[in-house]
Structure formats: C-alpha cells, structure tokens
Amino acid sequence: FRLHESPEEEPRILLECDSGVLDAIQKHLKLYKIRRKVNIAPCLDLSLWAVVPRERAGDIANSLTKCADQALVLTPDPRTEVMGWRLITKKGANLSEIIPGSQIGNIQDYHRHRYQQGIPEGVKDLPPGVALPLESNLAYMNGISFTKGCYIGQELTARTHHMGVIRKRLLPVQFSAPPPKDSIPEGAEILTESGKSAGKFRAGGGELGIALLRLANINEPLCLNVAGDKVKLTASIPEWWPKPANK
C-alpha cells in the first residue's frame, strides 16, 4: 500500500507479509537496499484487518463515518472481490466507529472464508521454494505481471502462461468429517480411489482446506490417510476464477 500521494511527499510504502517470516523478509529487503537512504522497519503501531462484508464490498466505502480518519488504509483486497477489503488502522482503533454495524470475528473465521474460496496466503499455503506462481493461481489474483519484471523464474512463468499447460492448481477441499486438529502432516499425499496420487494437502482448519491437485483428478472420489484411516474429501473450482479456466 502506497501512503504518499504526491512527488513532494517522502515515499512511504506498507508491505503486508506473513508474520512468521517477518525477520527473513526484512533481511532479504535490506540485501538490496545497498547505499540508498531507505528505512525498512516493522510498523508495530498498526493493525491489519480483513473486512469480509455481508453485503457487496463496494458498499463499505459509503458506510465510513466522520471517524474514518482512524483508517490509514481501506482498499479492496487486490486478490479477488470475494475477499472484501483490507483495512489498516492505528492500534486500538474502534472498528465499530470506522465501519458501523461491523462484527469482529476471529482469525479462524477469516481462514475458513479463505479456504472456502480457495485463496492461498502465507508460507503454509505457499511454501517458499516449493509453490509455483501459476499452480498457486497468482495470475488469477493480480499476483503476477506479464508486462514488467524482473524476478527469479520470470521467463519460465511467462512461457508457461502463454504457451504451456498447467496441470495442477491449488483448490479448496472439504473433508467428509473434520480430521483431528494437527493430525495431517505437511504435504500429505491425496489419493484417488484406485490409490493413484492426485496431489498434496497444504493447509486447513476443521473440515475445510486447500490442496495442490491435478486438475484431471478433481472430479474423482479422493481421500487422505489420517493416522491410518482414510478420510474422504472433495475438491471444487472456485466461482471467482476467470471463465473459462483453461490455463
């Protein structure tokens, strides 16, 4: 999020990241600072909120009150409309004053909504060095530019996007019954009815989750071994994906 509006202002940019890799990201960014006068530091005085509306996301902007100066940033989630808005406030701000009628949920509510929509986020869903941008649907979520660069893997990503076939994608999955908490090992293999590998489970909560699956297998009965038992699950293609989803 850019916080400066004119060239005369000192440039200030907020970067959202997984809190689990905050230190690693700071070190990575400082490697490329060289001698430039850039200050990279965590904003410990700010709070980040996901605003998932009951009504259409566009109506939130009209509901702001005169106390909306407590909202440092209120912007549509850049990934997809179904994720609502991202709100950044000063710590301790009163959310009911910024968005009248709002109800504060918990982090599990937010993750459940993400998993229902098949939205990956953070290093569990997108393990560094393992997750590929196109398989992770980043091209569907404004996460890849095909007109500018440069980044590691850009040539392969662009070539696959324009000429290749993407056989695996991250998809929302639902278990027939919630597996015991923390019972599924990281990267657990998902199998077809015949025992053939269909993909890998990434993360989840309760009966919902997200998995990297072969598109050819998503309409088949699928299962995952949990503590020696086979737990059935189903995969679905999210409604917010571009149509036709032929990549």
Side-chain angles (χ1 to χ4, degrees):
F1 304 110
R2 192 180 71 176
L3 298 181
H4 58 285
E5 296 181 358
S6 67
E8 291 76 27
E9 278 189 82
E10 183 179 353
R12 293 177 297 154
I13 295 173
L14 284 177
L15 176 66
E16 181 184 338
C17 74
D18 187 325
S19 61
V21 290
L22 177 60
D23 290 341
I25 285 180
Q26 287 184 87
K27 289 177 183 177
H28 182 77
L29 292 174
K30 287 174 181 177
L31 281 176
Y32 298 96
K33 188 175 82 166
I34 318 293
R35 293 184 178 85
R36 298 194 179 194
K37 294 180 180 179
V38 177
N39 181 38
I40 300 167
C43 298
L44 302 178
D45 59 329
L46 301 180
S47 293
L48 171 69
W49 302 86
V51 183
V52 181
R54 289 184 292 269
E55 69 276 7
R56 291 186 62 81
D59 295 335
I60 293 178
N62 299 323
S63 71
L64 294 181
T65 69
K66 61 183 179 181
C67 298
D69 58 345
Q70 294 183 70
L72 187 63
V73 173
L74 178 64
T75 186
D77 192 305
R79 295 171 292 186
T80 172
E81 185 179 357
V82 297
M83 289 304 295
W85 289 56
R86 305 301 270 181
L87 170 65
I88 298 174
T89 69
K90 301 167 188 174
K91 255 196 194 325
N94 189 332
L95 269 292
S96 63
E97 291 181 355
I98 298 174
I99 304 177
S102 59
Q103 294 180 340
I104 298 178
N106 56 42
I107 193 67
Q108 285 75 30
D109 295 331
Y110 171 69
H111 289 314
R112 281 183 61 83
H113 179 69
R114 279 201 309 108
Y115 293 138
Q116 281 180 322
Q117 302 298 337
I119 303 288
E121 183 178 291
V123 294
K124 283 190 176 180
D125 297 350
L126 303 167
V130 174
L132 297 177
L134 295 178
E135 291 183 349
S136 303
N137 308 322
L138 298 192
Y140 291 170
M141 298 186 291
N142 296 309
I144 305 174
S145 172
F146 295 102
T147 59
K148 61 184 179 182
C150 179
Y151 56 87
I152 295 173
Q154 178 185 9
E155 184 179 340
L156 176 61
T157 299
R159 186 167 65 244
T160 303
H161 174 72
H162 292 295
M163 301 179 64
V165 176
I166 300 164
R167 293 184 171 84
K168 293 184 289 184
R169 283 192 179 274
L170 279 181
L171 291 165
V173 295
Q174 183 166 357
F175 291 98
S176 55
K181 190 177 180 181
D182 301 325
S183 62
I184 305 176
E186 191 173 321
E189 195 165 35
I190 295 174
L191 305 172
T192 65
E193 206 168 29
S194 62
K196 178 183 174 184
S197 174
K200 294 184 183 298
F201 185 77
R202 283 278 173 82
E207 77 280 13
L208 301 173
I210 194 167
L212 181 68
L213 294 172
R214 289 183 175 83
L215 295 176
N217 300 126
I218 62 174
N219 294 320
E220 299 180 37
L222 301 173
C223 68
L224 189 147
N225 288 321
V226 178
D229 296 324
K230 286 187 176 181
V231 178
K232 293 181 179 179
L233 59 90
T234 55
S236 59
I237 292 179
E239 287 290 323
W240 59 269
W241 277 19
K243 295 178 177 55
N246 56 3
K247 285 276 184 187

